[in-house]
Amino acid sequence: MDVYGLVGNPVGHSVSPPMHEAAYDELGMDASYVAFEPAVNEIRQAFVGAETLGIEGLNVTIPFKEDVAAIVDADELAAEIGAVNTVDFREDGPPRGYNTDAAGVKRAFDHHDVDLEGRSAVVVGAGGAGRAAAFALTDAGAEIHIANRTVDRAIGLASELSSASGGSLETLDSQIGDASVLVNTTSVGMESDETPVPAELLHEDLTVLDAVYSPIETRLLRAASEVGARTIDGAWMLLYQGVEAFEQWTGRNAPVDAMNDALRAALNAE
Ligand code: NAP
C-alpha cells in the first residue's frame, strides 16, 4: 500500500484525509492518507522518519511550511514563496518540495472561468497564503495591490513581484474601487463572523475569493454576494491544492468531482 499524508500541528480537524482517500477509492488505488502531528520542534526528525518508512508524499500545513522549505529541495516557485506544502519522497536524492497553494488559487479561478490576465487584483494578507496568492496572480498576468495589517510585510512582498504595490489595510479604501479581483488571505473570518474588508468597499464588478474555508460561506463572501459580486469560496482553493498534490505524486489526473464531494461533506460535517 502507498502511504501519503499531512504533517501539521494541530491536524485534528483536517479535511485532507477524506478528500485524498476519496480519490484513491474512485481510482481503485491501494493507498492511504494519514494525518501526522509531530511536535513543533521535531519536523526534521519527522522527515527522516517519513523517508525511512517509505512514505510516498506529504502535505505540510501550519506551522511547518516555512521550515520544510529549508529542509527539502524546493522547486523555483516554492523557493520564491518561501513555503512548501507538498513534498514528494519518491525519487532518489533529497525530497522535492512544491507549493500547491499557488496552483490552488489559480485553478480555483480557472474552474470559475475567471481569466486573470491584465486584471487589477487586491490581495488582503501577506502571510503564507498571501504570498502564494500574490505569486499565482502575478504569474497569471494580474496587476496586484497587497494590503496587510503589518505594512512592512505587504511592501516587502510587493517588492519581490513585478507590477505590484503594497500598503496598509487602510489602502483598501482607494484600491478596491478599480479592482475586479479581490482575494482574502488573512485568517480573519475563520471560525468567526468577521471580515477584513469593510462591506461598503465591495461592488458588483468584483470576483471575490476567500482563502478561509471554515466556515465555507464567510462574512466577506456573504457581503460580496449581497452587492452582486461573484464569489469563490476557500474550499475551491483547498480542493485544487489537493488536486495538484495528488497529480504531482501520482502522475494521474485527479478525480476532481469525487474529491470535491468528499471535501465539502467533511467541511459541512464540522
Ligand atoms: P499566516 O501565514 O499566519 O498569515 C496570516 C495573515 O492574516 C497575515 O497576513 C496576518 O497579518 C493576517 N491577520 C491575522 N489576524 C489578523 C487580524 N486580526 N486583522 C488583520 N489581519 C490579520 O497564515 P496563512 O497560512 O497565510 O493562512 C491564512 C488563512 O488562509 C487561514 O485562514 C488559512 O486557513 C487559510 N488558508 C487556506 C488555504 C486554502 O487552500 N483554502 C490554504 C492556505 C491557507 P500580519 O502579517 O499583520 O500578522
Side-chain angles (χ1 to χ4, degrees), residues 93-160:
R96 291 279 288 158
Y98 304 92
N99 188 305
T100 69
D101 287 335
V105 171
K106 173 69 168 60
R107 291 180 72 168
F109 280 108
D110 288 347
H111 180 100
H112 291 82
D113 294 323
V114 178
D115 183 3
L116 294 164
E117 175 75 43
R119 302 288 283 271
S120 174
V122 173
V123 175
V124 194
R131 292 185 63 82
F135 277 94
L137 293 169
T138 302
D139 282 355
E143 273 190 26
I144 66 168
H145 178 77
I146 304 150
N148 193 47
R149 179 178 61 179
T150 305
V151 184
D152 289 353
R153 275 182 112 181
I155 293 173
L157 174 54
S159 72
E160 296 175 46

XYZ file of all heavy atoms in Angstrom, residues 93-160:
482
model
N 17.524 10.718 -3.833
C 18.030 12.047 -3.514
C 17.110 12.751 -2.543
O 16.176 12.143 -2.008
N 17.358 14.051 -2.318
C 16.560 14.773 -1.318
C 15.103 14.878 -1.758
O 14.827 14.954 -2.966
C 17.224 16.157 -1.269
C 18.030 16.272 -2.502
C 18.381 14.893 -2.960
N 14.165 14.867 -0.809
C 12.763 15.022 -1.181
C 12.530 16.360 -1.883
O 13.169 17.351 -1.551
C 12.017 14.959 0.164
C 13.049 14.975 1.234
C 14.371 14.685 0.632
N 11.603 16.361 -2.864
C 11.309 17.578 -3.624
C 10.118 18.297 -2.995
O 9.133 17.662 -2.592
C 10.926 17.221 -5.068
C 12.063 16.675 -5.880
C 12.955 17.770 -6.424
N 12.342 18.545 -7.490
C 12.735 19.791 -7.826
N 13.682 20.389 -7.152
N 12.155 20.418 -8.828
N 10.206 19.623 -2.908
C 9.132 20.401 -2.288
C 8.438 21.312 -3.281
O 9.086 21.912 -4.152
N 7.135 21.418 -3.157
C 6.316 22.236 -4.052
C 5.368 23.106 -3.240
O 5.085 22.813 -2.076
C 5.484 21.344 -4.996
C 6.340 20.389 -5.783
C 6.596 19.106 -5.298
C 6.926 20.780 -6.984
C 7.410 18.227 -6.007
C 7.733 19.910 -7.697
C 7.973 18.634 -7.209
O 8.784 17.786 -7.901
N 4.857 24.157 -3.861
C 3.807 24.951 -3.213
C 2.556 24.850 -4.065
O 2.447 25.535 -5.083
C 4.229 26.408 -3.040
C 3.206 27.156 -2.199
O 2.026 27.166 -2.518
N 3.649 27.731 -1.097
N 1.638 23.989 -3.677
C 0.427 23.824 -4.480
C -0.685 24.782 -4.033
O -1.747 24.801 -4.641
C -0.080 22.359 -4.489
O -0.578 22.017 -3.201
C 1.002 21.386 -4.908
N -0.433 25.595 -2.975
C -1.417 26.641 -2.640
C -1.531 27.644 -3.794
O -2.622 28.150 -4.090
C -1.012 27.388 -1.363
C -1.222 26.555 -0.105
O -2.074 25.646 -0.124
O -0.529 26.823 0.898
N -0.391 27.948 -4.428
C -0.421 28.890 -5.551
C -1.268 28.313 -6.691
O -2.138 29.001 -7.249
C 1.001 29.182 -6.032
N -1.049 27.040 -7.014
C -1.878 26.403 -8.045
C -3.333 26.336 -7.595
O -4.249 26.431 -8.420
C -1.354 24.997 -8.341
N -3.535 26.184 -6.287
C -4.911 26.149 -5.758
C -5.658 27.436 -6.066
O -6.829 27.416 -6.465
N -4.959 28.558 -5.915
C -5.575 29.859 -6.226
C -5.874 29.945 -7.718
O -6.996 30.256 -8.140
C -4.630 31.016 -5.802
C -5.146 32.355 -6.308
C -4.471 31.041 -4.283
N -4.859 29.634 -8.525
C -5.022 29.773 -9.989
C -6.127 28.850 -10.509
O -6.995 29.272 -11.290
C -3.666 29.441 -10.646
C -3.672 29.376 -12.154
C -3.884 30.751 -12.764
C -3.604 30.795 -14.259
N -4.432 29.907 -15.050
N -6.107 27.614 -10.044
C -7.078 26.650 -10.571
C -8.482 26.924 -10.048
O -9.472 26.580 -10.698
C -6.603 25.215 -10.281
C -5.366 24.861 -11.118
C -4.834 23.468 -10.882
N -5.686 22.412 -11.442
C -5.325 21.137 -11.555
N -4.091 20.757 -11.154
N -6.137 20.235 -12.055
N -8.594 27.544 -8.861
C -9.929 27.941 -8.367
C -10.524 28.998 -9.298
O -11.716 28.950 -9.643
C -9.829 28.473 -6.935
N -9.693 29.953 -9.740
C -10.184 30.964 -10.698
C -10.489 30.305 -12.056
O -11.508 30.596 -12.669
C -9.169 32.098 -10.867
C -9.211 33.118 -9.755
C -8.205 33.197 -8.808
C -10.276 34.005 -9.639
C -8.249 34.125 -7.780
C -10.341 34.948 -8.618
C -9.316 35.008 -7.680
N -9.593 29.424 -12.495
C -9.822 28.753 -13.791
C -11.153 27.996 -13.770
O -11.911 28.029 -14.744
C -8.709 27.728 -14.075
C -7.387 28.390 -14.422
O -7.375 29.611 -14.687
O -6.355 27.675 -14.409
N -11.403 27.294 -12.658
C -12.634 26.499 -12.544
C -13.864 27.386 -12.759
O -14.883 26.934 -13.281
C -12.697 25.841 -11.168
C -13.915 25.011 -10.943
N -13.908 23.634 -11.051
C -15.211 25.353 -10.648
C -15.123 23.179 -10.824
N -15.938 24.197 -10.576
N -13.756 28.644 -12.314
C -14.885 29.570 -12.443
C -14.773 30.447 -13.688
O -15.454 31.470 -13.800
C -14.992 30.428 -11.171
C -15.424 29.645 -9.969
N -14.559 28.895 -9.207
C -16.657 29.446 -9.435
C -15.215 28.291 -8.249
N -16.492 28.604 -8.357
N -13.895 30.020 -14.632
C -13.710 30.738 -15.901
C -13.347 32.201 -15.714
O -13.816 33.070 -16.470
C -14.977 30.634 -16.774
C -15.234 29.217 -17.219
O -14.251 28.504 -17.499
O -16.419 28.816 -17.264
N -12.543 32.484 -14.704
C -12.070 33.858 -14.494
C -10.654 33.951 -15.056
O -9.733 33.303 -14.552
C -12.071 34.230 -12.991
C -11.524 35.639 -12.797
C -13.477 34.108 -12.416
N -10.515 34.747 -16.123
C -9.202 34.968 -16.733
C -8.517 36.113 -15.981
O -9.060 37.212 -15.890
C -9.401 35.331 -18.214
C -8.077 35.506 -18.939
O -7.013 35.285 -18.314
O -8.109 35.883 -20.124
N -7.345 35.847 -15.434
C -6.674 36.842 -14.593
C -5.762 37.777 -15.383
O -5.319 38.803 -14.855
C -5.859 36.124 -13.498
C -6.715 35.350 -12.491
C -5.852 34.364 -11.706
C -7.437 36.303 -11.550
N -5.506 37.449 -16.633
C -4.588 38.243 -17.467
C -5.061 39.699 -17.543
O -6.210 39.958 -17.917
C -4.547 37.623 -18.867
C -3.731 38.382 -19.885
C -2.222 38.201 -19.668
O -1.806 37.071 -19.409
O -1.505 39.220 -19.780
N -4.180 40.627 -17.146
C -4.498 42.049 -17.257
C -5.472 42.569 -16.221
O -5.835 43.742 -16.258
N -5.905 41.708 -15.303
C -6.886 42.163 -14.304
C -6.182 42.917 -13.184
O -5.020 42.691 -12.867
C -7.626 40.956 -13.684
C -8.349 40.080 -14.687
C -9.589 40.738 -15.267
N -10.716 40.727 -14.360
C -11.621 39.750 -14.280
N -11.507 38.678 -15.046
N -12.634 39.836 -13.441
N -6.936 43.809 -12.560
C -6.436 44.538 -11.401
C -6.955 43.827 -10.157
O -8.161 43.681 -9.980
C -6.960 45.977 -11.493
O -6.611 46.668 -10.343
N -6.034 43.351 -9.313
C -6.428 42.496 -8.192
C -5.896 43.051 -6.873
O -4.811 43.641 -6.829
C -5.880 41.081 -8.406
N -6.669 42.841 -5.824
C -6.231 43.217 -4.477
C -6.123 41.945 -3.651
O -7.063 41.146 -3.607
C -7.240 44.194 -3.815
C -6.861 44.440 -2.359
C -7.284 45.509 -4.592
N -4.956 41.761 -3.031
C -4.736 40.624 -2.126
C -4.689 41.183 -0.717
O -3.899 42.081 -0.426
C -3.408 39.901 -2.448
C -3.129 38.794 -1.429
C -3.438 39.330 -3.863
N -5.548 40.672 0.150
C -5.530 41.099 1.553
C -4.780 40.037 2.337
O -5.181 38.866 2.338
C -6.959 41.270 2.116
C -6.910 42.036 3.436
C -7.855 41.970 1.119
N -3.676 40.445 2.979
C -2.859 39.499 3.734
C -1.537 39.256 3.033
O -1.458 39.293 1.791
N -0.495 39.014 3.826
C 0.844 38.783 3.263
C 1.557 37.667 4.024
O 2.781 37.639 4.095
C 1.657 40.075 3.303
N 0.782 36.753 4.610
C 1.361 35.567 5.243
C 1.600 34.493 4.194
O 1.784 34.796 3.004
N 1.574 33.236 4.607
C 1.865 32.146 3.675
C 0.878 32.088 2.527
O 1.280 32.018 1.346
N -0.413 32.143 2.830
C -1.420 32.078 1.765
C -1.360 33.338 0.903
O -1.567 33.281 -0.315
C -2.816 31.903 2.365
N -1.066 34.471 1.531
C -0.948 35.731 0.791
C 0.193 35.684 -0.206
O 0.060 36.124 -1.355
N 1.323 35.137 0.217
C 2.469 35.023 -0.691
C 2.122 34.101 -1.860
O 2.420 34.408 -3.016
C 3.702 34.506 0.058
C 4.258 35.493 1.079
C 5.543 34.978 1.710
N 6.601 34.825 0.740
C 7.400 35.815 0.286
N 7.248 37.031 0.765
N 8.325 35.582 -0.615
N 1.472 32.971 -1.554
C 1.099 32.030 -2.628
C 0.142 32.707 -3.609
O 0.303 32.596 -4.840
C 0.471 30.779 -2.026
N -0.855 33.422 -3.088
C -1.837 34.092 -3.959
C -1.169 35.183 -4.782
O -1.431 35.329 -5.985
C -2.972 34.678 -3.115
N -0.278 35.938 -4.148
C 0.369 37.054 -4.849
C 1.206 36.533 -6.019
O 1.162 37.085 -7.124
C 1.231 37.849 -3.871
N 1.962 35.453 -5.798
C 2.765 34.891 -6.888
C 1.867 34.279 -7.966
O 2.125 34.424 -9.164
C 3.768 33.854 -6.356
C 5.024 34.488 -5.816
C 5.156 34.783 -4.469
C 6.070 34.809 -6.673
C 6.318 35.383 -3.971
C 7.232 35.416 -6.187
C 7.358 35.706 -4.827
N 0.791 33.610 -7.546
C -0.107 32.978 -8.524
C -0.767 34.034 -9.412
O -0.820 33.877 -10.640
C -1.179 32.158 -7.798
N -1.271 35.099 -8.798
C -1.962 36.135 -9.577
C -0.985 36.855 -10.504
O -1.303 37.157 -11.660
C -2.639 37.140 -8.635
C -3.816 36.602 -7.804
C -4.216 37.605 -6.737
C -5.010 36.291 -8.693
N 0.208 37.124 -9.992
C 1.218 37.801 -10.819
C 1.607 36.915 -12.000
O 1.674 37.384 -13.147
C 2.462 38.151 -9.969
O 2.038 38.982 -8.887
C 3.504 38.881 -10.783
N 1.845 35.627 -11.723
C 2.202 34.697 -12.806
C 1.105 34.615 -13.859
O 1.373 34.378 -15.042
C 2.444 33.282 -12.261
C 3.807 33.162 -11.596
O 4.579 34.142 -11.646
O 4.087 32.090 -11.017
N -0.152 34.818 -13.411
C -1.280 34.731 -14.347
C -1.528 36.051 -15.075
O -2.480 36.165 -15.844
C -2.542 34.301 -13.596
N -0.681 37.055 -14.789
C -0.775 38.302 -15.551
C -1.610 39.398 -14.923
O -1.917 40.399 -15.568
N -1.977 39.231 -13.636
C -2.736 40.295 -12.960
C -1.778 41.339 -12.387
O -0.627 41.042 -12.078
C -3.584 39.692 -11.841
N -2.306 42.558 -12.270
C -1.567 43.612 -11.553
C -2.125 43.641 -10.162
O -3.348 43.777 -9.988
C -1.834 44.971 -12.201
C -0.910 45.267 -13.320
C -1.030 46.711 -13.773
O -1.429 47.577 -12.988
O -0.737 46.921 -14.949
N -1.273 43.545 -9.144
C -1.847 43.382 -7.816
C -1.421 44.462 -6.816
O -0.338 45.031 -6.910
C -1.550 41.987 -7.215
C -0.069 41.798 -6.945
C -2.064 40.885 -8.121
C 0.177 40.562 -6.081
N -2.336 44.694 -5.895
C -2.037 45.506 -4.711
C -2.208 44.599 -3.501
O -3.205 43.889 -3.393
C -2.982 46.710 -4.611
C -2.716 47.516 -3.373
N -1.647 48.386 -3.262
C -3.347 47.550 -2.164
C -1.647 48.936 -2.057
N -2.668 48.441 -1.376
N -1.226 44.626 -2.602
C -1.283 43.796 -1.395
C -1.525 44.705 -0.201
O -0.769 45.666 0.026
C 0.050 43.035 -1.198
C 0.368 42.202 -2.437
C -0.015 42.158 0.065
C 1.853 42.022 -2.682
N -2.569 44.416 0.565
C -2.870 45.194 1.773
C -2.745 44.270 2.968
O -3.326 43.184 2.973
C -4.283 45.769 1.690
N -1.982 44.693 3.960
C -1.763 43.824 5.116
C -1.705 44.656 6.392
O -1.289 45.810 6.364
C -0.442 43.044 4.944
C -0.326 41.910 5.943
O -1.280 41.148 6.117
N 0.809 41.789 6.597
N -2.145 44.012 7.493
C -2.101 44.677 8.809
C -0.679 45.149 9.101
O -0.468 46.285 9.487
C -2.591 43.694 9.874
C -2.588 44.231 11.264
C -3.128 43.219 12.239
N -2.323 41.991 12.282
C -2.573 40.954 13.067
N -3.626 40.980 13.868
N -1.794 39.884 13.051
N 0.308 44.265 8.933
C 1.710 44.655 9.121
C 2.223 45.160 7.777
O 2.484 44.385 6.851
C 2.541 43.439 9.599
O 1.927 42.916 10.776
C 3.981 43.838 9.905
N 2.327 46.494 7.676
C 2.575 47.133 6.380
C 3.882 46.660 5.743
O 3.940 46.422 4.527
C 2.625 48.675 6.552
C 2.779 49.360 5.215
C 1.391 49.155 7.268
N 4.918 46.501 6.559
C 6.231 46.124 6.007
C 6.177 44.801 5.245
O 6.888 44.607 4.265
C 7.274 45.999 7.132
C 7.637 47.352 7.695
O 7.183 48.355 7.114
O 8.352 47.397 8.717
N 5.344 43.904 5.738
C 5.228 42.605 5.049
C 4.613 42.789 3.660
O 5.020 42.139 2.700
C 4.330 41.654 5.855
C 5.051 40.908 6.942
C 4.084 39.967 7.639
N 4.399 38.587 7.395
C 3.696 37.565 7.879
N 2.621 37.788 8.621
N 4.048 36.333 7.635
N 3.609 43.670 3.568
C 2.954 43.924 2.263
C 3.931 44.569 1.298
O 4.040 44.166 0.131
C 1.734 44.812 2.461
N 4.660 45.553 1.792
C 5.602 46.270 0.924
C 6.744 45.343 0.516
O 7.171 45.329 -0.645
C 6.111 47.549 1.635
C 4.933 48.531 1.792
C 7.267 48.186 0.885
C 5.223 49.756 2.622
N 7.208 44.535 1.466
C 8.289 43.588 1.160
C 7.867 42.590 0.108
O 8.611 42.319 -0.848
N 6.670 42.051 0.237
C 6.176 41.080 -0.743
C 6.008 41.738 -2.111
O 6.414 41.178 -3.141
C 4.843 40.477 -0.245
C 4.097 39.553 -1.197
C 4.977 38.416 -1.701
C 2.847 38.994 -0.504
N 5.448 42.951 -2.128
C 5.248 43.652 -3.410
C 6.579 43.868 -4.113
O 6.664 43.757 -5.343
C 4.537 44.984 -3.168
N 7.623 44.128 -3.328
C 8.934 44.404 -3.945
C 9.537 43.157 -4.598
O 10.445 43.255 -5.414
C 9.906 44.971 -2.907
O 10.302 43.939 -2.020
N 9.031 41.976 -4.243
C 9.533 40.740 -4.848
C 8.840 40.435 -6.179
O 9.202 39.468 -6.863
C 9.305 39.557 -3.891
C 10.079 39.659 -2.584
C 9.712 38.529 -1.637
O 9.650 37.373 -2.085
O 9.453 38.807 -0.454
